[in-house]
Structure formats: structure tokens, C-alpha cells
């Protein structure tokens, strides 16, 4: 397969109909690493809003189990999209996500903003540091996935264009970004998780590298000083060099999709493993568009693609055969 063959395939698709497949091609084949980085930066932007970070700080999830909190967020998004948002697997993940959020009083504006970061964040990162920019079909697929997520979560007033999501994000940050000690605590806990993925001598460098990629309004809201120009220039140059190298590599073979490799679940996960432990004791509510006659049912929940013991195998792992 040629380097641009998948791009030609995507350009022939209809984002309104094929958004889930386009998102899968973006996140598992064309830009797996870049898509994850864009989503990670989106998480950091949430911490610049005291109303959001105070809630996250109060739960202490990042302080007590930061790696699990990070993995759970990635995996719930993966479960929702892996087989399509309207699959039973995707709808079960959405019900579980709503079950977790249902404990808290979260304003619709905050939900809309967090959703906007997951649409705008990956595009901005990929356009800046990816091996090619996103095409129009890919951008609209991000929008359609965001709108579908909003429908499943009952989020109101969601834009129907990328420009609308971008305006929503920028205007919200202009109004709501402000420093609070909780912002810094949650951000520090997240940076500790990210730094722990690297050898100890490299961790201070990794932290400086990450801070060098963040814009000044976000840094100010998180309570960090801007990095020196040479750090910012070096971080950007390193990522652009990586993009040039990736551009020269062959396309990822279809039989080797990039899937999450969660450190918290080396032997696989069940849907109920994801999120705080108390969430599994809360009732599962139907999605906004579900009725008794819907194929998924309002309270029916099933773990995604389980083995016979009910556990989802981790990507790349094979379950041992059972003796007959």
C-alpha cells in the first residue's frame, strides 16, 4: 500500500455516513501517535478551567491512581468508537460513561467545552506536527464523531461544523481560563504520569519538552511559566523532524492497527473496570435516544468483545486455550 493510498480512500468516503470508519483510519493507521497526543493536550486544556479542575482535584483520582485515570479515559473513548458508535459495544461504553458523570452536577457548557477539545485538539496537533494535514473528510469525521458523542451523552447546543467547535473552544477559554491551585495540582499529577513512562534521568527533560509545546494562556492558567525560546523551538523542531521521517515510511499494514496498550490493564479489561470503583454500583440509565424497543435496550450492558471469562484481551495478548 502506498503512503497516500489510505488518504485517497478516505477522500472517496462520505463523512456523514462513514465518520466512524474514517475516525478508525485516523486513530489506528494514519496518525495513531499524533491522534493520542492531540487528545492528551485536550485533557490538559480542561485543567485550565477552575470549575473543571476543582471537581477533578476533589475526586483525587489523578493523585491516587493517575495512570489508571489516564488509561480509563482513553479506553472508554476507544470502546465507544471501536465497533462504531451505534454498535452495542459503543452504546454500552456510552451508558457507562454517563453512569460515571451522573454522580456530579456538570453544566452543559462544560460538557460542550470538553467535547470541543476532543474535536479541535487532534486537528490542531496533526496539522502542526503530523506527517500531513487532515483532509476535509477527516476533519468533518471528527465533527460527526463529536456530534454523535453529544447525542449519546445528552449534551445540548453542539456545533455542526469544525469552525463552530473551534469558536466554541476559543470563546470558552477566553472567558473561563484562570489560575487556581487545583489546576496546578491536577496538571502536576498528569505530568507525573506522562514522565513515568520514560527512564528516570529523562523525566525532567520530558516535562520541559511537554511544557514547551503548550501555549501561553494555558500555561498561565495551569500556573507554569513559559519555557525559554530555545526549549519551545527545540520541541517543535524535534516533532517536525519526526513528521518528515514518518512521511517517508510505508503505510501501516491493515492487519496491524494501532490499539491502546494500557499500562493499568496488561491482561485486558472489562467495561466495569473503567472509571472509579463506585461507578459499577450505580444504575445504568438508557441513552437519550433509547427506548424499550431499541436493540440495545435501556439497561442492558455487556462488556466489549469479551472472552469466555468476561474479560477483554489486551491488544497483542492471546488468552490461553482452555482444556476440554
Amino acid at each position: 500500500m502506498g503512503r497516500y493510498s489510505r488518504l485517497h480512500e478516505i477522500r472517496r468516503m462520505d463523512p456523514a455516513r462513514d465518520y466512524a470508519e474514517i475516525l478508525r483510519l485516523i486513530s489506528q493507521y494514519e496518525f495513531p501517535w499524533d491522534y493520542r497526543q492531540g487528545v492528551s493536550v485536550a485533557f490538559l486544556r480542561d485543567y485550565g478551567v477552575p470549575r473543571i479542575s476543582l471537581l477533578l482535584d476533589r475526586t483525587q483520582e489523578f493523585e491516587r491512581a493517575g495512570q489508571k485515570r489516564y488509561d480509563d479515559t482513553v479506553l472508554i473513548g476507544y470502546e465507544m468508537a471501536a465497533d462504531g458508535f451505534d454498535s452495542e459495544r459503543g452504546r454500552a461504553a456510552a451508558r457507562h460513561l454517563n453512569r460515571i458523570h451522573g454522580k456530579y452536577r456538570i453544566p452543559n457548557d462544560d460538557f460542550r467545552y470538553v467535547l470541543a477539545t476532543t474535536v479541535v485538539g487532534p486537528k490542531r496537533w496533526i496539522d502542526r506536527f503530523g506527517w500531513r494535514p487532515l483532509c476535509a473528510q477527516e476533519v468533518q469525521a471528527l465533527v460527526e464523531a463529536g456530534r454523535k458523542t453529544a447525542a449519546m451523552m445528552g449534551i445540548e447546543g453542539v456545533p455542526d461544523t469544525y469552525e463552530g467547535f473551534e469558536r466554541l473552544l476559543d470563546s470558552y477559554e477566553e472567558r473561563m481560563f484562570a489560575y487556581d491551585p487545583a489546576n496546578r495540582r491536577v496538571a502536576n499529577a498528569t505530568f507525573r504520569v506522562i514522565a513515568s513512562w520514560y527512564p528516570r534521568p529523562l523525566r525532567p527533560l520530558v516535562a520541559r519538552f511537554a511544557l514547551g509545546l503548550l501555549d501561553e494562556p494555558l500555561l498561565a492558567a495551569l500556573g507554569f511559566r513559559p519555557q525559554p525560546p530555545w526549549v519551545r523551538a527545540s520541541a517543535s523542531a524535534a516533532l517536525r523532524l519526526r513528521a518528515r521521517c514518518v512521511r517517508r515510511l510505508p503505510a501501516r499494514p491493515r492487519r496491524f492497527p494501532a490499539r491502546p496498550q494500557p499500562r493499568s490493564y496488561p491482561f485486558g479489561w472489562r467495561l466495569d473496570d473503567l472509571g472509579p470503583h463506585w461507578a459499577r454500583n450505580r444504575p445504568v440509565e438508557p441513552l437519550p435516544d433509547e427506548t424499550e424497543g431499541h436493540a440495545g435496550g435501556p439497561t442492558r450492558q455487556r462488556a466489549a468483545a469479551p472472552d469466555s471469562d468476561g474479560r477483554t484481551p489486551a491488544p497483542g495478548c492471546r488468552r490461553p486455550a482452555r482444556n476440554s
Side-chain angles (χ1 to χ4, degrees):
M1 174 179 282
R3 193 67 179 104
Y4 290 88
S5 298
R6 207 165 267 126
L7 172 61
H8 299 323
E9 175 186 350
I10 291 170
R11 282 177 169 163
R12 291 192 296 269
M13 294 182 177
D14 176 6
R17 182 191 65 228
D18 304 322
Y19 67 91
E21 176 63 11
I22 295 173
L23 180 62
R24 189 179 71 85
L25 294 176
I26 293 172
S27 60
Q28 296 186 20
Y29 291 96
E30 291 287 88
F31 307 100
W33 187 84
D34 292 290
Y35 182 81
R36 287 197 302 273
Q37 305 317 305
V39 171
S40 296
V41 172
F43 296 158
L44 287 173
R45 303 202 78 81
D46 300 341
Y47 309 157
V49 180
R51 195 160 68 186
I52 296 175
S53 63
L54 284 166
L55 173 59
L56 295 172
D57 187 50
R58 190 164 68 245
T59 67
Q60 288 292 291
E61 291 292 332
F62 283 94
E63 290 291 341
R64 291 196 300 260
Q67 182 65 62
K68 182 182 186 306
R69 177 64 170 75
Y70 180 91
D71 288 338
D72 290 351
T73 303
V74 171
L75 290 174
I76 289 176
Y78 174 76
E79 290 292 324
M80 287 179 66
D83 290 347
F85 289 84
D86 272 325
S87 67
E88 174 56 22
R89 178 179 182 177
R91 300 181 76 85
R95 293 185 208 110
H96 184 60
L97 181 61
N98 290 346
R99 173 164 64 171
I100 295 170
H101 287 146
K103 180 179 179 179
Y104 307 105
R105 287 188 172 184
I106 302 174
N108 188 70
D109 279 356
D110 291 356
F111 273 126
R112 287 201 311 156
Y113 169 68
V114 172
L115 182 66
T117 64
T118 67
V119 174
V120 177
K123 180 187 185 301
R124 285 182 172 174
W125 179 282
I126 292 170
D127 285 355
R128 186 181 178 193
F129 298 123
W131 63 271
R132 64 167 176 83
L134 292 178
C135 70
Q137 289 80 2
E138 290 167 326
V139 175
Q140 189 59 32
L142 292 176
V143 171
E144 296 296 336
R147 288 179 57 78
K148 182 62 178 179
T149 301
M152 297 171 86
M153 295 182 67
I155 304 173
E156 299 176 349
V158 175
D160 56 6
T161 65
Y162 174 78
E163 292 75 17
F165 272 107
E166 200 166 42
R167 285 193 300 270
L168 187 160
L169 182 142
D170 291 339
S171 63
Y172 182 94
E173 290 183 351
E174 186 176 350
R175 288 185 291 111
M176 302 297 289
F177 265 10
Y179 174 69
D180 188 280
N183 302 11
R184 178 72 177 253
R185 287 194 295 270
V186 178
N188 275 336
T190 302
F191 281 126
R192 284 196 294 272
V193 170
I194 295 171
S196 71
W197 303 340
Y198 300 88
R200 190 174 296 274
L202 295 179
R203 291 176 186 176
L205 181 62
V206 169
R208 295 198 73 175
F209 184 94
L211 290 172
L213 297 171
L214 303 182
D215 56 272
E216 292 193 18
L218 177 57
L219 288 170
L222 298 179
F224 295 109
R225 293 191 302 271
Q227 293 297 297
W230 70 267
V231 173
R232 299 198 301 271
S234 299
S236 295
L239 289 173
R240 290 193 176 103
L241 175 61
R242 174 192 173 275
R244 287 196 294 271
C245 294
V246 172
R247 191 178 301 125
R248 289 168 171 76
L249 295 175
R252 179 182 286 270
R254 191 169 292 272
R255 65 183 180 279
F256 293 129
R259 295 196 176 101
Q261 300 286 344
R263 290 168 170 79
S264 305
Y265 306 102
F267 303 110
W269 65 88
R270 294 172 300 177
L271 193 57
D272 269 353
D273 294 333
L274 310 182
H277 64 87
W278 51 258
R280 66 190 65 176
N281 298 319
R282 290 179 62 84
V284 179
E285 300 292 338
L287 298 180
D289 63 348
E290 286 181 336
T291 64
E292 289 293 338
H294 192 278
T299 58
R300 178 181 169 198
Q301 183 177 352
R302 176 172 59 85
D307 273 349
S308 56
D309 63 356
R311 183 168 292 274
T312 301
C317 296
R318 298 185 64 181
R319 305 291 290 177
R322 295 183 179 273
N323 294 328
S324 16

